[in-house]
Amino acid sequence: MSIVNDTMQEITDPVALADDSCWFCNDSLRDAPPPGGWLIEDKHWRVGAAPATYAIPGAVILEARRHVLDQAAFNESERRDYADVTGRVIGAIRASTGCDRVYQWATMDAYPHFHLWLLPWWTDSTERGPAYLSASVLNITPDENATARAAKSIATELGATA
């Protein structure tokens, strides 16, 4: 695998740009891989279903492969790919869940590493906006089976295998 860093130098290993103390950079800090495995794993991005204990079924987390805080730190190639990968994932979530919208949420609070939460939203939801985002990740009843089904469906929509 080959990527280009901010100074446009060729880097053959994206892990070389990692922070070993970062949960997103260091796979050994994770409890497990995402449910169903990685939906997308390329030179710039990894996309996985959020674990059932983290969010509602159908929620997905897109994370930068490189240790960067936010879009301001993206290199040119990451900026070009970001809209494409985000659009593909949003389309797959909509097709898989039947949701009306996909909310996007990025805080980089616990780890200063770019990651974007993508959460399905339906017009008949009781909450909207920030209240919906909170309700989708706090005090949820984990449903491992529904999360696994959603991950598999999203993977199918993306043309991946989960």
Side-chain angles (χ1 to χ4, degrees):
M1 181 180 318
S2 176
I3 64 172
V4 177
N5 72 7
D6 285 330
T7 60
M8 302 310 286
Q9 296 172 317
E10 191 81 10
I11 303 291
T12 57
D13 183 4
V15 178
L17 301 171
D19 174 344
D20 287 340
S21 67
C22 174
W23 188 87
F24 290 97
C25 292
N26 187 346
D27 284 341
S28 69
L29 298 177
R30 298 175 188 250
D31 296 333
W38 293 107
L39 302 170
I40 294 175
E41 189 171 21
D42 67 21
K43 64 184 178 179
H44 297 302
W45 314 107
R46 291 200 303 187
V47 177
T53 56
Y54 285 32
I56 60 172
V60 169
I61 301 170
L62 177 147
E63 60 189 66
R65 294 287 300 228
R66 215 165 46 90
H67 187 76
V68 295
L69 176 62
D70 55 31
Q71 294 96 322
F74 287 178
N75 64 37
E76 184 178 328
S77 184
E78 289 162 335
R79 281 191 293 277
R80 274 194 313 267
D81 289 350
Y82 178 69
D84 178 63
V85 72
T86 305
R88 287 176 38 223
V89 174
I90 288 171
I93 294 170
R94 279 189 187 142
S96 298
T97 66
C99 68
D100 297 295
R101 294 186 193 152
V102 176
Y103 278 25
Q104 300 176 47
W105 187 12
T107 65
M108 284 60 77
D109 183 45
Y111 296 95
H113 182 121
F114 180 77
H115 58 287
L116 178 69
W117 290 77
L118 299 162
L119 300 137
W121 178 85
W122 295 264
T123 56
D124 62 354
S125 298
T126 56
E127 290 96 1
R128 299 178 69 90
Y132 179 79
L133 293 170
S134 293
S136 298
V137 299
L138 299 175
N139 302 316
I140 58 169
T141 302
D143 187 337
E144 302 283 342
N145 291 329
T147 296
R149 283 191 307 273
K152 184 174 183 174
S153 181
I154 293 166
T156 299
E157 289 294 329
L158 288 168
T161 53

